[in-house]
């Protein structure tokens, strides 16, 4: 199999030696990293991290894991979550991004390579520790990521060649306003996805918000007028959704997208997983759910994309716990007729209506 490299294959050996030296120097100044890297598997993954994962395909061919084997058999034309084509999480430093990263790399997702991108370039799990069997499948991208900078996103995606990108970022004091992150940032990442992987593109999952196209609803009005860096956030999220759809509509590749619209994020963990959830379409019914349930839905969305083979285009769906179900405006019916249920996160996405 042929792979692309940002450096010529003939120089990969010297490049690897150089970054091994850098990794060794870094270990001397970071006790936590020293302990973590004593594990051989984690040490291998740190090397991949240090070289920007540009030569990953040279390194991992003899280190097949159950995660890698499972996705090598994927029906998708591009294997998902492998060293050659990892799953990238943008906004991995936030609580939702951390939950998504953990779910993707854990037993639920089973992806062998998940790359976390943050605006600081720092590992969000330095304080909150993960089991080694999960941590070994996570890599922190070493550079700061600014979603407002399209050229840097394209450069990063060219290095990584991601099979899928999950957008968990949103407006913050440090990261930018709602317009910058939830609108322009979403468009930039969508454009980078559509021009990646030699024209075939990367699939994308966007975490948006409930009621974004219902400006007369109470939820929209309250959230859209929070002020400060959050001011106009619902307008920004709706514009970001529209620009994402436009970007994927123009691509000739087979990549696809899923837009998830959660309501309020509830503290605590899920008790029954997918069985407690309901999906809907039309933005008339919604409710709340926990971050780990939302993370499970991200996994299910990616798994369904793999099973269906992508095919271009995408879906937009509201996600919530059944027990929190409510109509967004008084005139709406509590049963929309568009409800979807499932016993697994993946099966929740079966039979959904695709965006026009």
């Amino acid at each position: 199999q042929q792979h692309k490299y940002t450096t010529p294959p003939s120089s990969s050996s010297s490049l690897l030696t150089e970054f091994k030296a850098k990794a060794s120097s870094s270990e001397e100044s970071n006790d936590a990293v020293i302990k973590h890297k004593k594990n051989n598997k984690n040490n291998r993954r740190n090397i991949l991290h240090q070289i920007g994962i540009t030569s990953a395909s040279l390194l991992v061919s003899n280190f097949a894991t159950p995660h890698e084997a499972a996705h090598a058999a994927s029906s998708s034309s591009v294997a998902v979550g492998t060293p050659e084509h990892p799953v990238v999480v943008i906004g991995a430093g936030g609580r939702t991004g951390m939950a998504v990263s953990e779910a993707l790399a854990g037993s639920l997702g089973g992806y062998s390579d998940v790359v976390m991108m943050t605006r600081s370039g720092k590992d969000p799990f330095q304080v909150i520790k993960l089991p080694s069997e999960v941590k070994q499948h996570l890599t922190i991208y070493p550079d700061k990521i600014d979603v407002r900078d399209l050229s840097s996103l394209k450069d990063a995606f060219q290095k990584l060649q991601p099979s899928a990108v999950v957008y968990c970022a949103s407006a913050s004091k440090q990261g930018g306003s709602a317009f910058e992150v939830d609108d322009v940032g979403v468009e930039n990442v969508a454009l980078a996805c559509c021009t990646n992987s030699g024209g075939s593109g990367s699939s994308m999952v966007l975490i948006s918000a409930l009621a974004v196209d219902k400006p007369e609803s109470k939820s929209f009005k309250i959230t859209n007028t929070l002020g400060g860096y959050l001011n106009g956030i619902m307008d920004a999220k709706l514009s970001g959704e529209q620009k994402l759809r436009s970007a994927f509509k123009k691509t000739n590749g087979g990549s696809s997208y899923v837009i998830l619209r959660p309501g309020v994020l509830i503290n605590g963990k899920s008790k029954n997983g997918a069985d407690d959830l309901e999906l809907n379409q039309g933005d008339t019914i919604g409710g709340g759910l926990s971050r780990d349930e939302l993370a499970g839905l991200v996994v299910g969305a990616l798994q369904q994309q793999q099973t269906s083979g992508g095919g271009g285009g995408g879906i937009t769906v509201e996600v919530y716990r059944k027990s929190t179900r409510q109509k967004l405006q008084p005139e709406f019916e509590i049963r929309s007729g568009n409800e979807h249920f499932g016993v697994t996160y993946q099966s929740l996405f079966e039979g959904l209506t695709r965006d026009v």
Side-chain angles (χ1 to χ4, degrees):
Q1 183 180 3
Q2 297 294 318
H3 297 293
K4 292 185 176 181
Y5 300 88
T6 55
T7 56
S10 60
S11 66
S12 61
S13 178
S14 59
L15 184 66
L16 179 57
T17 302
E18 175 186 345
F19 280 99
K20 278 184 177 180
K22 288 184 179 180
S24 177
S25 175
S26 176
E27 288 175 4
E28 293 176 0
S29 62
N30 192 330
D31 290 339
V33 177
I34 291 174
K35 294 178 181 178
H36 181 65
K37 291 170 185 173
K38 285 182 179 179
N39 182 285
N40 287 335
K41 290 183 179 179
N42 289 338
N43 188 55
R44 173 178 65 88
R45 292 190 53 75
N46 178 64
I47 294 172
L48 299 184
H49 149 71
Q50 293 293 339
I51 63 174
I53 320 179
T54 56
S55 300
S57 59
L58 291 178
L59 297 172
V60 299
S61 59
N62 295 320
F63 292 89
T65 67
H67 283 65
E68 294 165 340
H71 291 283
S74 169
S75 61
S76 176
S77 58
V78 175
V80 178
T82 65
E84 296 88 353
H85 299 290
V87 176
V88 166
V89 180
I90 293 180
R95 293 173 64 189
T96 298
M98 292 172 70
V100 168
S101 299
E102 183 177 358
L104 290 168
S107 59
L108 183 63
Y111 295 107
S112 68
D113 277 74
V114 178
V115 177
M116 301 177 291
M117 289 186 171
T118 68
R119 63 173 180 268
S120 67
K122 296 180 180 178
D123 186 350
F125 291 106
Q126 286 181 330
V127 176
I128 300 176
K129 302 300 181 182
L130 292 175
S132 60
E133 61 269 22
V134 176
K135 183 68 173 178
Q136 66 177 321
H137 298 294
L138 290 171
T139 301
I140 181 68
Y141 190 72
D143 299 328
K144 298 179 180 179
I145 291 295
D146 187 343
V147 296
R148 298 169 292 187
D149 185 350
L150 176 58
S151 63
S152 68
L153 287 168
K154 285 186 175 181
D155 288 344
F157 285 12
Q158 181 61 33
K159 290 179 183 178
L160 296 172
Q161 294 291 297
S163 51
V165 177
V166 184
Y167 195 96
C168 302
S170 191
S172 65
K173 289 182 180 180
Q174 296 79 16
S177 67
F179 170 75
E180 292 173 315
V181 181
D182 296 88
D183 183 1
V184 174
V186 170
E187 180 183 26
N188 285 342
V189 171
L191 290 172
C193 284
C194 291
T195 57
N196 180 51
S197 293
S200 63
S202 306
S203 296
M204 183 172 175
V205 176
L206 169 66
I207 296 179
S208 184
L210 185 68
V212 291
D213 59 4
K214 291 295 182 287
E216 297 304 313
S217 68
K218 185 177 180 180
S219 296
F220 185 103
K221 291 177 179 179
I222 292 175
T223 309
N224 206 44
T225 55
L226 291 172
Y229 60 86
L230 293 173
N231 195 52
I233 191 168
M234 298 295 271
D235 288 325
K237 285 184 178 293
L238 178 59
S239 180
E241 285 189 8
Q242 293 169 338
K243 290 174 179 177
L244 181 157
R245 295 188 191 97
S246 178
F248 276 84
K249 186 176 181 179
K250 294 175 182 177
T251 183
N252 293 322
S255 56
S256 58
Y257 66 84
V258 174
I259 298 174
L260 300 178
R261 291 173 166 178
V264 62
L265 295 178
I266 303 168
N267 290 328
K269 294 285 187 177
S270 170
K271 292 183 178 179
N272 301 305
D275 197 46
D276 283 341
L277 303 182
E278 181 175 294
L279 272 57
N280 217 313
Q281 293 185 286
D283 213 13
T284 62
I285 309 296
L289 74 170
S290 65
R291 282 183 172 82
D292 70 310
E293 288 169 332
L294 180 56
L297 288 166
V298 169
V299 171
L302 289 178
Q303 291 173 338
Q304 183 59 23
Q305 284 179 319
Q306 285 178 257
T307 301
S308 61
I315 62 170
T316 302
V317 62
E318 294 79 56
V319 297
Y320 50 89
R321 279 186 191 169
K322 299 172 191 174
S323 61
T324 67
R325 182 195 302 123
Q326 58 183 315
K327 51 189 177 181
L328 298 185
Q329 293 177 202
E331 66 270 25
F332 295 150
E333 296 291 334
I334 197 63
R335 287 291 184 181
S336 69
N338 298 318
E339 289 82 3
H340 283 260
F341 312 95
V343 295
T344 66
Y345 286 112
Q346 180 179 345
S347 64
L348 283 164
F349 290 89
E350 295 174 358
L352 290 169
T353 301
R354 301 186 73 82
D355 294 342
V356 176

